[in-house]
Amino acid sequence: MQEQPPFIRASIRNKIMVAFILVITVWGILNATLLEHALYPILSHQGVPTESIELIARHFTTISTGLTIIGILVFHLIALFFARAIAKPLRKLSDGVLRIDRGELNVRIDVTSRDELGQLADSINKMVAALQKSTQELAKANGELKEEVAERQRAEEELRKAKEAAEFASSAKGEFLANMSHEIRTPLNAIIGLADLLSETRLSAEQEEYVQMYQRSGENLLTLLNDILDLSKIEAGRLELESITFDLLDLVDKTIEFQAVRAQAKGLGLNRRLAPEVPRLLLGDANRLQQILANLLGNAIKFSENGAVFLEVAVTEQHSDSCLLSFAVRDTGIGIPEDKLLCIFDSFTQADPSTTRKYGGTGLGLAISKRLVEAMGGQIHVESKVGSGSTFYFSVRFTCLELPTGHAGRVPNEAELLPPRAVEFRLLAERPLRILLAEDSEDNALLIKSYLKHTPHTMELAENGLQALSKYIGGGFDLVLMDMQMPEMDGYTATSRIRAWEAETGTPPAPIVALTAYARQEDVAKSLAAGCTVHITKPLKKGVLLKAINNFAGGIA
Ligand code: ADP
């Protein structure tokens, strides 16, 4: 049902009625006035008899009544005409506007007159046509947008699934590498340790050579194991940088000292120079810096037959609390062909296929160094000339705790200055120690027993965590060497049960040295959290173990 626009009809009718009443009123007044004021006096003055005047008046009234009726008819016709000429198009306009308002954009107002109403209808039609066109375009765009959003949602969903699958694969890879590293480290522990022990016995020259080969192969395997573990951790985005306070000069000298034996054996010079403005006390990952330096210096020595290797440290950027240090490792070695300068930073890539045969190595060191440098806010590159030598440049950002004169460095907080330690242990007197070894592997137990052979300390064995706990509670042990992976009860549980018993009985805590084949940072944190005093990673070196025991025994290992 079409809604009528009553306001238009009412308004026209009202206007016509008002006009009609006005005309009738004016006509009556005119009649009365004419009769009273004009005709009577004029005609009586002219001597027209009263009967004639009354006759004239009657005719006049009849004529005027007739004229009035004609006037009414004329007005009625005029009103009808105007109602048709104005109201009809107005109604069409109003109907059209109401339908447009209801959203019927295909409606066109059918007013074709050339007057203002016709123009208005035309403008409204044009406006509605434009509106309809843009609404259609909008609907089309909306549809496309919806499709695009749906497509994007589908892509996001696929991406999320792929990410989850990649994360799962990466975590499975990480887990696999950690387990593999553990499984390989355990027998490697025995191989390297026994080779060390064997080298301390009387050997013929030939036997000594074989033992050295054992040792070298063991060390290489260990390096490879660590590199693979490092790379997988970096690639899985699980590399966590430490922030510890360290003395740069000390670190550089220790790294050089460590490499000096190999340089001397080849007759190479090995020197370093730190620019005077280089700050000494820094906050950052000292171990990773040492790893990068050891790799670059190791390569420089490995690939040089004569001449010297030189390490230079300078400051590139100096801010109030941070600095960008630049390191350069120069050698006079074989050099690297120009087309290999970039690719040697890729994993498992060497400049020459004969490198492994001639010099050993796996092509992982530079790939790891590059990623470590980048993680530490720096960059690495190499300049080299075949036959003349190479220079590896890298930069690393550190927090400066002590700056050269004129600069105020940041004061380290207490936590940064103290090395982390989980449990305070009792200081042991300078006397032989009773050591409890918790170890399920017979070979490793035998190895540790052999390590302690020429020391004043005594050792008792527990084959699992449960035995270790009851033996420790039995009393009399100064120190515990705790393997963390054992049957029945693992080292973590045994350690926390020992710590709980100590707390309950008021027994001063004994140092517990965690011995584990797991080398990851989270593994160290896990054993410290269980209550261990220090964490030593297998393969266990005699020197490292004796040094750790020596620390607790007051220097009589
Ligand atoms: P690796 O030394 O175990 O092979 P790296 O990743 O440390 O692995 O080095 C990759 C390769 O880059 C080396 O095999 C060698 O070809 C080249 N290289 C690295 N350092 C030097 C250097 N100082 N002089 C010549 N070649 C080098």
Side-chain angles (χ1 to χ4, degrees):
M1 268 270 291
Q2 245 193 37
E3 207 177 303
Q4 290 297 322
F7 63 95
I8 293 177
R9 272 179 285 144
S11 127
I12 292 171
R13 210 169 34 233
N14 289 347
K15 278 179 189 142
I16 291 169
M17 286 301 289
V18 168
F20 176 70
I21 291 162
L22 264 174
V23 168
I24 296 294
T25 312
V26 170
W27 185 252
I29 292 167
L30 271 177
N31 269 344
T33 312
L34 206 65
L35 280 174
E36 209 176 312
H37 297 287
L39 278 176
Y40 272 101
I42 294 168
L43 292 176
S44 24
H45 187 68
Q46 292 293 321
V48 180
T50 313
E51 296 84 42
S52 304
I53 295 174
E54 276 172 0
L55 190 72
I56 290 168
R58 259 201 307 281
H59 284 311
F60 191 82
T61 307
T62 311
I63 292 165
S64 74
T65 308
L67 283 175
T68 306
I69 289 165
I70 290 166
I72 289 167
L73 280 172
V74 169
F75 275 116
H76 187 70
L77 284 174
I78 291 172
L80 216 63
F81 169 76
F82 274 114
R84 287 233 167 135
I86 300 172
K88 203 171 164 194
L90 272 179
R91 191 163 60 240
K92 279 187 181 173
L93 265 173
S94 158
D95 284 354
V97 168
L98 280 171
R99 288 178 65 188
I100 291 162
D101 184 43
R102 279 201 300 267
E104 294 175 39
L105 296 181
N106 51 350
V107 166
R108 295 292 175 271
I109 299 167
D110 181 24
V111 177
T112 49
S113 57
R114 289 166 168 261
D115 56 8
E116 284 80 359
L117 283 177
Q119 282 173 13
L120 180 64
D122 195 38
S123 304
I124 291 176
N125 284 342
K126 279 184 185 153
M127 188 188 78
V128 174
L131 198 67
Q132 189 180 24
K133 194 174 165 219
S134 56
T135 308
Q136 281 165 353
E137 280 170 5
L138 210 66
K140 195 174 159 218
N142 199 21
E144 283 170 4
L145 203 70
K146 270 187 190 158
E147 219 162 273
E148 223 170 90
V149 168
E151 183 63 33
R152 190 164 293 184
Q153 276 171 345
R154 268 198 300 278
E156 267 173 22
E157 180 62 16
E158 272 165 28
L159 210 67
R160 192 184 59 77
K161 279 187 189 155
K163 188 173 166 260
E164 269 175 18
E167 276 170 1
F168 179 75
S170 162
S171 117
K173 187 177 107 181
E175 215 46 49
F176 167 75
L177 283 167
N179 288 335
M180 186 201 73
S181 145
H182 174 250
E183 295 307 319
I184 297 175
R185 263 164 211 271
T186 309
L188 201 58
N189 187 30
I191 295 171
I192 294 179
L194 289 170
D196 281 351
L197 286 177
L198 204 59
S199 70
E200 286 174 12
T201 61
R202 263 172 172 272
L203 299 171
S204 68
E206 197 182 0
Q207 284 168 334
E208 206 166 300
E209 200 183 318
Y210 293 158
V211 170
Q212 276 171 10
M213 276 167 70
Y214 265 133
Q215 285 175 314
R216 268 202 307 278
S217 301
E219 296 297 340
N220 287 344
L221 196 55
L222 189 60
T223 311
L224 176 64
L225 210 60
N226 288 338
D227 282 355
I228 290 178
L229 210 59
D230 260 351
L231 199 69
S232 80
K233 205 189 297 181
I234 292 170
E235 279 178 356
R238 292 220 311 255
L239 173 75
E240 277 171 29
L241 292 175
E242 281 186 329
S243 207
I244 51 172
T245 306
F246 67 97
D247 184 327
L248 181 66
L249 184 62
D250 219 35
L251 182 141
V252 166
D253 282 348
K254 273 193 188 139
T255 317
I256 296 242
E257 203 182 297
F258 191 71
Q259 302 286 338
V261 185
R262 287 177 56 223
Q264 271 165 16
K266 289 182 94 174
L268 296 169
L270 178 59
N271 286 305
R272 54 101 180 134
R273 193 185 87 89
L274 273 80
E277 68 274 14
V278 172
R280 280 189 63 168
L281 205 57
L282 299 173
L283 185 67
D285 199 326
N287 292 329
R288 294 303 189 179
L289 174 64
Q290 195 160 24
Q291 186 179 348
I292 301 163
L293 285 174
N295 178 45
L296 297 184
L297 289 169
N299 277 348
I301 295 165
K302 183 163 80 173
F303 295 108
S304 301
E305 293 313 323
N306 46 50
V309 171
F310 196 65
L311 166 66
E312 257 182 295
V313 189
V315 179
T316 309
E317 274 176 36
Q318 181 78 74
H319 305 287
S320 61
D321 64 348
S322 81
C323 52
L324 190 69
L325 299 187
S326 60
F327 297 79
V329 178
R330 294 178 208 287
D331 65 55
T332 46
I334 58 171
I336 303 162
E338 211 182 325
D339 60 325
K340 298 283 188 252
L341 289 179
L342 282 178
C343 72
I344 53 163
F345 292 100
D346 295 339
S347 317
F348 298 105
T349 305
Q350 297 181 315
D352 194 296
S354 64
T355 307
T356 309
R357 192 167 26 86
K358 271 202 222 154
Y359 300 96
T362 53
L364 278 177
L366 286 180
I368 293 171
S369 297
K370 182 172 191 281
R371 285 167 168 92
L372 289 178
V373 163
E374 285 167 357
M376 292 163 89
Q379 283 176 338
I380 187 166
H381 76 278
V382 60
E383 284 171 11
S384 184
K385 206 164 167 222
V386 174
S388 305
S390 316
T391 305
F392 281 82
Y393 298 92
F394 75 94
S395 54
V396 176
R397 192 170 291 283
F398 290 105
T399 301
C400 310
L401 299 175
E402 176 220 72
L403 297 175
T405 343
H407 292 91
R410 186 162 77 69
V411 179
N413 62 40
E414 213 176 314
E416 286 164 356
L417 284 172
L418 286 173
R421 183 190 294 155
V423 176
E424 280 299 318
F425 53 87
R426 63 176 181 248
L427 278 173
L428 304 170
E430 289 187 24
R431 61 174 170 78
L433 305 180
R434 265 198 84 208
I435 297 171
L436 175 63
L437 169 68
E439 172 64 81
D440 64 315
S441 154
E442 261 178 55
D443 288 349
N444 283 342
L446 191 72
L447 186 71
I448 293 170
K449 203 171 164 196
S450 316
Y451 282 169
L452 294 174
K453 214 187 241 158
H454 301 296
T455 69
H457 311 302
T458 54
M459 191 197 88
E460 202 168 309
L461 180 69
E463 285 170 9
N464 58 50
L466 214 57
Q467 257 188 37
L469 179 64
S470 69
K471 284 198 175 190
Y472 183 79
I473 290 172
F477 290 102
D478 302 305
L479 184 140
V480 183
L481 299 175
M482 182 77 80
D483 180 29
M484 302 314 271
Q485 282 76 37
M486 286 183 292
E488 303 266 351
M489 181 187 280
D490 66 19
Y492 302 102
T493 317
T495 303
S496 50
R497 297 273 289 271
I498 287 175
R499 292 301 183 217
W501 176 82
E502 285 171 342
E504 251 171 51
T505 55
T507 311
I512 300 180
V513 180
L515 307 175
T516 122
Y518 287 120
R520 296 177 304 177
Q521 218 166 318
E522 55 263 40
D523 301 314
V524 179
K526 196 174 162 193
S527 48
L528 292 185
C532 293
T533 320
V534 284
H535 178 113
I536 299 180
T537 308
K538 292 175 183 175
L540 204 53
K541 304 283 280 182
K542 187 177 173 183
V544 175
L545 180 71
L546 293 188
K547 198 174 167 200
I549 296 174
N550 197 26
N551 282 343
F552 300 118
I556 59 154

